[in-house]
């Protein structure tokens, strides 16, 4: 894994060298990436004056990222003779109007807390809502990355461990998974599905491990397969019918993710008729199985007035 990480870092350095060349040749997207790299000192050496020059080039093109970068520099005084909050506010505003999420967040915070502007909760909500809408557009129906429900064995002794999986441990899990250990198959499936612990994301391999575990009736494997089929991907063709089958198998074993998946399908009518009563039933079953997602989905239904509080949370 150490060699794998080193190779990735070297590859990243070479990529940024090419981006740096393109940025100074006038390539807009490269200028945005390199300016941020200069500003943070990651991948490329810290270069505040270089970041300022690139942001000014972007501003001259009417690019929102250029306005955002200059707003930050004026706000902090980096690369400037002195901080200037009026100039920062001006650049943040133009960047936010141009759709830059960082600037919208900055203005949302300023209006919410009254930093150099009059406190205005409605204006703060306006900017925060724009960012939240962009985030929501990129979240799949079943939510973001799943939490690792089954902890790796070394975490049982040291919960603080959260590093890349070393080669020996990886070989061990692969070996016992190939020997038919369902828990190891689900663990590897989750890691490859998310691309975590130093492993590359590989949905096809994740599907393979989950399928082996599901063949032995692992509820967690059925739940993850249901999610993969519900969302769909280039590696796994979307299928509401297959997702429903796997979610049902998981739910019958009182698996929280399985119940939550069925709730989502009934809530949005994915391959089944919309049925809020059944959606609530499955979300409540998910909550009883200690599923955070079930609580979130019930909250969403209440917020959108699909259900009343008594219906959603009562017995």
């Amino acid at each position: 894994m150490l060699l794998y990480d080193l190779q990735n870092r070297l590859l990243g350095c070479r990529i940024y060298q090419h981006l740096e060349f393109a940025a100074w040749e006038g390539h807009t997207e490269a200028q945005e990436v390199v300016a941020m790299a200069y500003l943070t000192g990651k991948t490329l050496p810290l270069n505040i004056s270089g970041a300022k020059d690139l942001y000014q080039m972007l501003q001259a093109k009417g690019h929102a990222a250029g306005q955002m970068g200059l707003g930050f520099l004026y706000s902090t005084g980096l690369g400037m003779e002195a901080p200037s909050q009026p100039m920062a506010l001006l650049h943040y505003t133009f960047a936010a109007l141009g759709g830059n999420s960082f600037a919208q967040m900055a203005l949302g915070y300023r209006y919410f807390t009254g930093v150099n502007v009059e406190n205005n909760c409605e204006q703060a909500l306006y900017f925060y809502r724009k960012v939240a809408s962009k985030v929501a557009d990129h979240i799949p129906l079943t939510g973001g990355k799943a939490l690792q429900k089954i902890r790796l064995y070394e975490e049982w002794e040291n919960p603080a461990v959260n590093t890349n999986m070393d080669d020996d441990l990886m070989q061990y899990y692969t070996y016992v998974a190939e020997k038919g250990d369902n828990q190891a198959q689900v663990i590897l499936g989750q890691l490859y599905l998310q691309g975590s612990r130093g492993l590359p994301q590989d949905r096809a391999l994740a599907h393979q491990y989950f399928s082996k575990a599901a063949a032995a009736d692992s509820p967690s494997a059925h739940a993850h397969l249901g999610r993969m089929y519900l969302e769909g991907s280039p590696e796994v063709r979307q299928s509401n019918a297959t997702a429903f089958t796997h979610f049902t198998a998981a739910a019958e074993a009182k698996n929280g993710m399985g119940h939550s998946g069925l709730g989502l399908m009934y809530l949005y009518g994915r391959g089944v008729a919309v049925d809020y009563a059944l959606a609530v039933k499955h979300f409540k079953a998910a909550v009883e199985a200690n599923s955070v997602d079930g609580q979130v989905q019930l909250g969403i239904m209440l917020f959108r007035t699909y259900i009343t509080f008594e219906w959603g949370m009562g017995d």
Side-chain angles (χ1 to χ4, degrees), residues 215-298:
D217 292 326
S218 165
S220 182
H222 277 298
H224 280 93
L225 285 173
R227 175 179 175 177
M228 293 186 76
Y229 280 108
L230 184 62
E231 293 179 358
S233 67
E235 298 84 359
V236 180
R237 184 176 180 180
Q238 200 280 336
S239 171
N240 290 329
T242 307
F244 187 86
T245 298
H246 284 295
F247 281 142
T248 300
E252 288 175 349
K254 303 185 185 303
N255 179 275
M257 187 187 295
H259 278 296
S260 185
L262 289 176
L264 285 168
M265 297 190 77
Y266 282 115
L267 176 59
Y268 295 104
R270 296 290 295 271
V272 294
V274 172
D275 190 325
Y276 294 154
L278 280 175
V280 169
K281 174 185 175 181
H282 285 292
F283 288 143
K284 290 175 70 175
V287 171
E288 291 172 359
N290 298 317
S291 167
V292 174
D293 187 57
Q295 295 175 328
V296 171
Q297 296 302 332
L298 279 177

Side-chain angles (χ1 to χ4, degrees), residues 6-28:
L6 179 60
Q7 290 173 335
N8 278 345
R9 285 197 295 271
L10 291 174
L11 177 59
C13 290
R14 288 196 294 269
I15 290 173
Y16 268 84
Q17 288 173 357
H18 290 299
L19 286 172
E20 191 174 20
F21 176 80
W24 292 109
E25 289 295 314
H27 189 278
T28 301

Side-chain angles (χ1 to χ4, degrees), residues 10 28 44 48 89 92 112 147 178 195 201 222 278 296 312:
L10 291 174
T28 301
L44 292 174
I48 301 300
L89 182 61
Y92 280 150
F112 181 68
L147 294 176
E178 293 302 324
Q201 186 178 50
H222 277 298
L278 280 175
V296 171

Side-chain angles (χ1 to χ4, degrees), residues 22-170:
W24 292 109
E25 289 295 314
H27 189 278
T28 301
E29 286 74 15
Q31 288 175 336
E32 181 180 355
V33 173
V34 172
M36 182 62 74
Y38 282 158
L39 191 61
T40 60
K42 291 185 177 180
T43 311
L44 292 174
L46 187 68
N47 187 347
I48 301 300
S49 62
K52 178 183 175 182
D53 290 341
L54 289 175
Y55 282 134
Q56 287 176 333
M57 293 179 189
L58 287 167
Q59 179 199 21
K61 299 177 183 179
H63 200 286
Q67 299 281 6
M68 169 60 202
L70 289 175
F72 177 78
L73 294 177
Y74 275 115
S75 176
T76 59
L78 291 172
M80 305 295 182
E81 293 183 4
S84 173
Q85 299 308 323
M87 288 297 292
L89 182 61
L90 177 67
H91 284 292
Y92 280 150
T93 301
F94 278 118
L97 292 174
N100 185 277
S101 297
F102 291 112
Q104 290 166 346
M105 286 288 292
L107 286 179
Y109 177 80
R110 286 183 172 232
Y111 279 109
F112 181 68
T113 57
V115 177
N116 299 116
V117 293
E118 184 178 351
N119 181 271
N120 189 326
C121 289
E122 290 186 1
Q123 195 70 4
L125 178 62
Y126 171 79
F127 287 113
Y128 279 139
R129 180 176 285 154
K130 283 186 173 294
V131 180
S133 296
K134 291 179 184 177
V135 173
D137 288 341
H138 288 83
I139 295 177
L141 180 64
T142 53
K145 288 185 176 181
L147 294 176
Q148 189 173 307
K149 303 297 183 183
I150 303 174
R151 294 185 300 174
L152 300 177
Y153 293 136
E154 73 273 18
E155 290 180 333
W156 295 348
E157 298 179 357
N158 183 8
V161 172
N162 189 22
T163 57
N164 291 347
M165 186 182 293
D166 63 45
D167 289 331
D168 290 339
L169 188 59
M170 180 62 188

